[in-house]
Amino acid sequence: MSYSHCTMGSGSRTSRRTLEFGRTYVVRPKGKHQATIVWLHGLGDNGSSWSQLLESLPLPNIKWICPTAPTRPVALLGGFPCTAWFDAGELSEDGPDDWEGLDASTAHIANFLSTEPPDVKVGIGGFSMGAALALYSATACALGRYGNGNPYPINLRAVVGLSGWLPGSRGLRNKIQASHEAARRAASLPILLSHGTCDDVVPYKFGEKSAHSLNIAGFWNLTFKNYEGIGHYTVPKEMDEVCNWLTARLGLEGSR
């Protein structure tokens, strides 16, 4: 998590107003367009750095959309203004979840995906807080609605979460299992989670707990990979596995 885009400016600009999302970076597919994935950065970052990494991956059939989160005061940083998809306090099972922020950012991502051609498969991925939002989107997709009850309009075909956590894990199992449709959608949605065992920002146990919570809620098409000795960052081996997983799950032609 780099805090390079956290600003010390006066608090007046971040007073209670509609939060504006930052710049969106798009990486066009180099081959036939088969899938579109919105990729979400971590706390204090922006879409640009990830768009450069994603552009270098051997995935010519994917269009990547890398939005930038709004700048908002973040409780975890003592109210310091920072790019963040939602407000986060201490990471814990019992920490309050910023439902309003989660829903607003999830809807912003859904808007990008809603305009993609019908024959293009769509997915969401992210790192750290971006991974948390990707997983929240996965639960909204299964339930068919946002936390506020509004219908969730996107049929996600793949979700990737690197070094993240699951917001709103409490009560998820009951919500999913209460609906036959939600249980069916949860069971069929492919999810890839990966986490470094030496992560000192989002501890490994949160990745493990998130995988467990999703699994018992009925997200059975889930792969959890751990990376021994790795901290809060991605490594080439991990990105290779992401590429292989996406190619298989989305049925991509690859670089042939």
Side-chain angles (χ1 to χ4, degrees):
M1 227 186 257
S2 77
Y3 298 134
S4 52
H5 296 271
C6 302
T7 51
M8 282 300 284
S10 71
S12 59
R13 285 187 315 160
T14 53
S15 59
R16 280 279 168 208
R17 59 175 173 78
T18 307
L19 293 167
E20 286 170 32
F21 288 85
R23 184 168 167 200
T24 299
Y25 300 80
V26 177
V27 179
R28 306 265 165 214
K30 297 176 182 73
K32 181 186 173 192
H33 182 196
Q34 293 182 291
T36 296
I37 295 178
V38 174
W39 191 273
L40 306 165
H41 64 74
L43 180 65
D45 202 357
N46 65 30
S48 169
S49 50
W50 275 101
S51 71
Q52 291 165 45
L53 171 65
L54 296 167
E55 188 160 22
S56 71
L57 298 180
L59 292 169
N61 308 113
I62 294 182
K63 170 183 167 184
W64 299 96
I65 301 175
C66 304
T68 299
T71 296
R72 70 176 85 221
V74 178
L76 186 64
L77 306 177
F80 194 67
C82 208
T83 52
W85 298 110
F86 52 93
D87 188 16
E90 288 306 308
L91 288 188
S92 79
E93 302 277 284
D94 308 312
D97 287 306
D98 171 19
W99 298 108
E100 205 179 323
L102 284 160
D103 279 345
S105 289
T106 302
H108 182 67
I109 300 157
N111 283 343
F112 286 120
L113 295 174
S114 65
T115 57
E116 289 301 292
D119 60 332
V120 167
K121 295 169 182 171
V122 298
I124 302 175
F127 173 75
S128 193
M129 181 182 252
L133 191 62
L135 293 180
Y136 181 75
S137 297
T139 62
C141 174
L143 291 166
R145 63 179 192 273
Y146 295 98
N148 61 19
N150 291 343
Y152 182 79
I154 307 297
N155 175 25
L156 295 175
R157 302 294 292 271
V159 173
V160 177
L162 313 181
S163 312
W165 72 95
L166 173 66
S169 58
R170 290 188 311 281
L172 178 62
R173 181 186 184 177
N174 292 345
K175 287 182 200 161
I176 297 281
Q177 299 306 328
S179 151
H180 178 71
E181 270 302 290
R184 184 187 61 76
R185 282 193 294 262
S188 64
L189 176 58
I191 300 177
L192 173 65
L193 298 184
S194 64
H195 219 108
T197 58
C198 294
D199 194 323
D200 57 349
V201 179
V202 180
Y204 175 73
K205 67 175 183 185
F206 284 106
E208 222 173 20
K209 274 184 183 169
S210 299
H212 180 68
S213 298
L214 286 164
N215 212 289
I216 62 168
F219 290 85
W220 296 325
N221 195 350
L222 182 144
T223 304
F224 180 71
K225 297 204 172 264
N226 61 14
Y227 290 85
E228 202 59 49
I230 299 300
H232 196 64
Y233 47 84
T234 56
V235 289
K237 183 185 180 212
E238 183 179 28
M239 296 316 292
D240 288 348
E241 301 232 17
V242 168
C243 289
N244 295 339
W245 186 86
L246 285 171
T247 299
R249 291 299 178 281
L250 297 173
L252 303 177
E253 289 173 11
S255 353
R256 297 199 290 284

